[in-house]
Every structure is written in structure tokens, then in C-alpha cells.
């Protein structure tokens, strides 16, 4: 439980809001009716911690040789293909191909029209299951919804099952508070999506985030605090992994959170120091929001030379000491700490800016290609 208290203190600093452990929630929930409690889970972390730096429109100068662009760079309007989507109707299954992250429900309906001749306004797409998870850990399955189902209608279905009046329900998906008048498709809620449910107490306006009891994965914790480099080379994603020596790495529970676990390299590793197929590269990300632009600008001032500029991106580095320069500091039980996130970055989806000394900064356009999986904390 000590790790959870430390992480809650770190996240409180990073998010500029109060984050408490689940045990603290149990002791507070009946004492103060002026508070709203909201789950803080790994999905919310992914959305909230990815601080994006913005390089100004001023031209910044670097040397040609100091830019090492990774192959097949993805930009924010990338059209990565999804796996095929299957539409079932009248006992028939239709396969829809070549969808991407920007495909809308309207565009999907047009593809169905092209294939089957069903006019879009006569189509009624059904979301079979939506999962509602409350603070007690109970999960409710709400069935027979569709893309046009409003949040208010969803709340009424929860009321029918759980008896919680709609005006006392607080539904949250990622960082978004779901508004009654909007639809499930507006929030891109699809089949088997999990929505967090909190109780909005009458008259309350303050929100306290409650750390999910399954937020951490202690089995994969590794305390590097007193470990020194031994000269051995470690590889992750066929890229040198600079281990976070001097830091305590607490693992975030991310296994099975995505379509597969290959990005973590947890399967088929024959030697701990070597990469495995499909594994993503390790990087570190400082957490101080007010330093996001600084790391962006510093990345381009590593050298001087030809004219070059980039736009918005997530800035991380394979060197935790570099990330620490842009990290938040916090106090827990009278002790000063610093916190940095450990990530995996998808190969071939980021640019690299390098200095003459070998210092590197990764620039990731699309936050889907960088995933936090560890929280590194050290005393200072």
C-alpha cells in the first residue's frame, strides 16, 4: 500500500488535482457530501500525462547530420488501418475494410451503402455491450445500445438496474465527462468500452480522483535505486535501453490493455538483455507541464546549421537523466521526490534529434504510438 500512497502523491502533483488511494476513498466517501469521486486508471493516465511541446513558428537551426528521421514517420492525421470491422444483419456478416482512426460513423454507413445499397439514414448500428465500472469495482454490462444512444438514455438504463438517479450519476470516459445531450458515437464509445461511474452527491462540485486498486502491477516492479551500471548493453525494440539507475521503477498494469502484449516484449525473450520481435523502444518522459515547451525548444538547440522546424509532438528521451531535467518534484511524508514516466515508443513512428555528444530526443506525433508503462521515482 505504501507504493500506492507514493504514486498518489506524485499524480496529485502532475495532474494538479487531488489523487487518493482506494483505502483513503473508503474512509472519506461517507464523511464529506461536497465531493465527487472519480476513478483514476491507466487509460486516464495515458491521456493526462502526455505533455505535448509546441515548437514556435520561428525557424530553428540545426545541422543536417543531427536529424535522424526514423522510417515511415506517422503524423497526427495518419491513416493507419484498423483490423477489419464486421457488420451483422439479417443473418449475414459484412466485412468492412480500410477504416482508419479518423473514420466516422457516417463514413462507415456510406461504406455499408456502397456494399449493400442500404441508405445511410435507414441504417441503425448497434453497440452490443458497454461496461459500466463503479468505485466499488463492480462492473455492470449495459446491452442493446446503438451509436445514437444518448448519455441520458444510458443513465436511465443504469438507473433501471442500479437504482442510482440519473442526476446523481457521473460518467467518465478517459478525460471526458460525458454530457447528457451527447451520444455514444460523439465520444467514440464502441462495443465493449468500459465507462467509469461515480456518484455525484447533491450540492457537490469538487472532484477527487481515486487510484484504481489495479493501477500498479507489483510483479514487474524493479528498484534500481542502489544498482550501478555494470557495462552490459540492454536492447529493447532493437534500440539501446538505458536502464533507470538510481530510480525506483513502479510498474503500471498495462498487460492486456491493448490488442496484444508484443509491444512490451513479455513473450519469447530468451535473454533478458536482448530484444524480441514486435517490441517497442523504451523512452522516458518528464512530467512538468510548464517545461513541455522548454524540452521542445532545447531539442532543436542541440546543434546549429540549416533551417529546420517541427510542430506539435510528445517529447521523450532514451536517457532518464535528460527527462529528469523536465520532471516534477513533490513531497510525500516530508521527503522530497522527483517523478519521470517510463514509456514504450513504437519503432518507425517518431523523429530523432541528436546532439554532437549523442544526446537524443524523440518526437512522437501521435500519442497512440507512445504508451506509459512505468513510474520512476527517486528521493532528492
Amino acid at each position: 500500500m505504501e507504493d500506492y500512497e507514493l504514486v498518489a502523491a506524485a499524480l496529485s502533483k502532475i495532474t494538479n488535482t487531488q489523487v487518493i488511494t482506494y483505502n483513503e476513498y473508503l474512509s472519506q466517501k461517507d464523511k464529506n457530501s461536497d465531493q465527487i469521486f472519480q476513478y483514476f486508471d491507466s487509460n486516464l493516465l495515458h491521456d493526462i500525462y502526455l505533455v505535448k511541446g509546441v515548437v514556435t513558428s520561428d525557424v530553428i537551426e540545426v545541422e543536417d547530420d543531427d536529424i535522424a528521421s526514423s522510417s515511415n514517420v506517422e503524423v497526427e492525421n495518419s491513416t493507419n488501418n484498423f483490423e477489419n470491422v464486421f457488420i451483422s444483419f439479417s443473418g449475414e456478416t459484412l466485412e468492412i475494410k480500410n477504416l482508419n482512426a479518423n473514420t466516422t460513423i457516417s463514413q462507415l454507413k456510406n461504406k455499408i451503402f456502397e456494399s449493400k445499397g442500404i441508405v445511410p439514414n435507414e441504417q441503425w448500428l448497434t453497440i452490443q455491450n458497454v461496461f459500466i465500472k463503479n468505485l466499488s469495482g463492480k462492473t455492470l454490462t449495459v446491452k442493446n445500445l446503438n451509436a445514437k444512444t444518448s448519455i441520458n438514455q444510458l443513465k436511465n438504463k443504469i438507473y433501471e438496474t442500479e437504482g442510482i438517479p440519473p442526476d446523481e450519476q457521473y460518467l467518465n470516459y478517459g478525460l471526458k465527462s460525458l454530457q447528457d445531450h451527447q451520444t455514444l458515437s460523439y465520444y467514440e464509445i464502441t462495443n465493449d468500452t468500459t465507462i467509469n461511474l461515480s456518484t455525484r452527491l447533491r450540492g457537490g462540485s469538487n472532484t477527487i480522483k481515486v487510484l484504481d486498486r489495479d493501477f500498479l502491477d507489483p510483479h514487474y516492479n524493479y528498484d534500481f535505486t542502489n544498482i550501478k551500471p555494470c557495462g552490459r548493453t540492454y536492447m529493447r525494440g532493437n534500440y539501446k535501453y538505458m536502464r533507470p539507475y538510481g530510480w525506483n521503477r513502479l510498474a503500471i498494469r498495462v498487460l492486456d490493455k491493448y490488442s496484444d502484449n508484443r509491444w512490451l516484449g513479455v513473450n519469447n525473450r530468451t535473454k533478458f538483455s536482448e530484444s524480441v520481435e514486435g517490441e517497442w523502444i523504451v523512452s522516458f518522459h518528464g512530467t512538468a507541464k510548464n517545461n513541455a515547451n522548454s524540452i521542445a525548444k532545447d531539442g532543436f538547440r542541440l546543434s546549429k546549421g540549416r533551417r529546420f522546424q517541427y510542430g506539435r509532438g510528445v517529447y521523450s528521451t532514451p536517457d532518464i537523466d535528460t527527462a529528469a531535467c523536465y520532471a516534477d518534484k513533490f513531497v510525500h511524508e516530508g521527503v522530497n521526490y522527483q517523478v519521470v514516466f517510463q514509456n514504450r515508443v513504437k519503432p518507425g513512428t517518431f523523429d530523432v534529434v541528436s546532439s554532437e555528444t549523442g544526446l537524443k530526443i524523440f518526437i512522437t506525433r501521435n500519442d497512440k504510438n507512445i504508451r506509459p508503462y512505468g513510474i520512476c521515482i527517486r528521493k532528492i
Side-chain angles (χ1 to χ4, degrees):
M1 198 61 204
E2 181 179 347
D3 287 343
Y4 272 85
E5 293 171 354
L6 187 61
V7 169
L11 293 175
S12 295
K13 174 64 176 179
I14 295 166
T15 62
N16 197 31
T17 188
Q18 186 176 3
V19 180
I20 63 176
T21 65
Y22 185 76
N23 282 353
E24 289 176 304
Y25 159 71
L26 294 178
S27 66
Q28 293 185 26
K29 67 185 182 72
D30 296 325
K31 296 179 181 179
N32 194 335
S33 61
D34 293 329
Q35 292 178 339
I36 300 169
F37 294 96
Q38 174 188 345
Y39 248 129
F40 192 103
D41 57 15
S42 58
N43 293 328
L44 184 60
L45 171 65
H46 195 159
D47 289 334
I48 210 169
Y49 105 100
L50 290 171
V51 181
K52 290 191 175 183
V54 181
V55 178
T56 66
S57 59
D58 298 334
V59 174
I60 302 169
E61 311 223 348
V62 297
E63 293 284 355
D64 286 352
D65 292 341
D66 292 327
I67 300 295
S69 296
S70 61
S71 60
N72 302 320
V73 174
E74 292 187 37
V75 296
E76 288 186 307
N77 63 351
S78 154
T79 56
N80 297 326
N81 289 340
F82 286 151
E83 293 183 358
N84 300 340
V85 172
F86 299 94
I87 308 295
S88 298
F89 66 99
S90 301
E92 179 182 356
T93 300
L94 171 66
E95 183 178 3
I96 305 294
K97 300 180 178 180
N98 299 323
L99 303 179
N100 61 69
N102 297 319
T103 299
T104 64
I105 297 298
S106 177
Q107 291 169 329
L108 174 59
K109 287 185 174 182
N110 285 331
K111 285 182 175 289
I112 296 172
F113 172 67
E114 293 170 2
S115 178
K116 291 296 177 180
I118 304 172
V119 179
N121 61 12
E122 295 180 0
Q123 296 178 31
W124 188 262
L125 301 182
T126 300
I127 299 173
Q128 296 177 350
N129 297 319
V130 168
F131 304 116
I132 308 296
K133 181 179 180 181
N134 63 21
L135 282 169
S136 67
K138 177 182 178 182
T139 299
L140 165 70
T141 302
V142 180
K143 300 181 178 181
N144 300 322
L145 306 176
N146 60 73
K148 293 183 178 179
T149 297
S150 69
I151 301 304
N152 186 58
Q153 291 171 324
L154 175 60
K155 286 184 175 181
N156 284 326
K157 286 183 174 288
I158 296 172
Y159 172 65
E160 293 171 3
T161 304
E162 298 297 303
I164 304 172
D167 63 349
E168 294 183 14
Q169 296 178 35
Y170 182 87
L171 298 181
N172 178 271
Y173 176 56
L175 273 182
K176 300 173 182 177
S177 299
L178 308 188
Q179 303 301 312
D180 289 353
H181 66 283
Q182 298 291 3
T183 64
L184 297 182
S185 65
Y186 176 84
Y187 293 109
E188 300 179 355
I189 293 172
T190 58
N191 192 43
D192 292 345
T193 295
T194 297
I195 298 172
N196 291 321
L197 166 66
S198 304
T199 302
R200 186 193 301 274
L201 301 175
R202 298 182 185 277
S205 58
N206 299 323
T207 299
I208 294 179
K209 292 182 171 60
V210 180
L211 205 56
D212 192 320
R213 287 174 294 178
D214 293 327
F215 182 80
L216 297 178
D217 197 350
H219 178 72
Y220 292 98
N221 288 352
Y222 201 107
D223 191 350
F224 290 91
T225 301
N226 298 313
I227 298 178
K228 303 295 183 182
C230 63
R232 188 175 185 180
T233 298
Y234 294 86
M235 303 294 292
R236 297 292 183 266
N238 294 319
Y239 199 99
K240 185 178 179 180
Y241 167 36
M242 301 172 67
R243 305 173 88 193
Y245 295 114
W247 298 72
N248 182 15
R249 198 278 307 281
L250 302 174
I252 301 168
R253 190 177 298 276
V254 291
L255 278 176
D256 303 320
K257 293 288 185 180
Y258 301 91
S259 58
D260 62 61
N261 294 317
R262 295 176 63 201
W263 65 283
L264 281 169
V266 295
N267 298 321
N268 304 320
R269 194 187 304 279
T270 56
K271 292 184 179 180
F272 187 70
S273 60
E274 296 181 356
S275 298
V276 297
E277 183 179 358
E279 186 175 22
W280 290 18
I281 297 166
V282 175
S283 74
F284 299 93
H285 179 84
T287 53
K289 290 182 181 296
N290 60 342
N291 283 333
N293 288 349
S294 297
I295 190 172
K297 294 175 182 177
D298 289 351
F300 294 103
R301 290 173 179 160
L302 296 176
S303 300
K304 296 188 179 295
R306 74 172 178 83
R307 291 178 175 272
F308 189 85
Q309 64 180 8
Y310 266 112
R312 191 172 177 83
V314 180
Y315 294 81
S316 63
T317 171
D319 178 17
I320 194 170
D321 291 334
T322 300
C325 297
Y326 307 94
D328 268 309
K329 300 178 178 65
F330 67 98
V331 179
H332 176 62
E333 295 185 347
V335 179
N336 294 315
Y337 294 92
Q338 192 173 28
V339 57
V340 165
F341 282 103
Q342 187 176 34
N343 326 284
R344 291 298 183 110
V345 184
K346 187 177 181 180
T349 65
F350 59 89
D351 297 320
V352 183
V353 178
S354 303
S355 73
E356 295 176 356
T357 61
L359 176 65
K360 298 181 184 295
I361 291 180
F362 297 165
I363 308 168
T364 305
R365 302 282 180 222
N366 190 330
D367 57 18
K368 291 183 175 61
N369 296 322
I370 179 170
R371 298 171 178 172
Y373 76 111
I375 298 178
C376 298
I377 297 177
R378 70 175 177 182
K379 295 180 181 180
I380 54 176

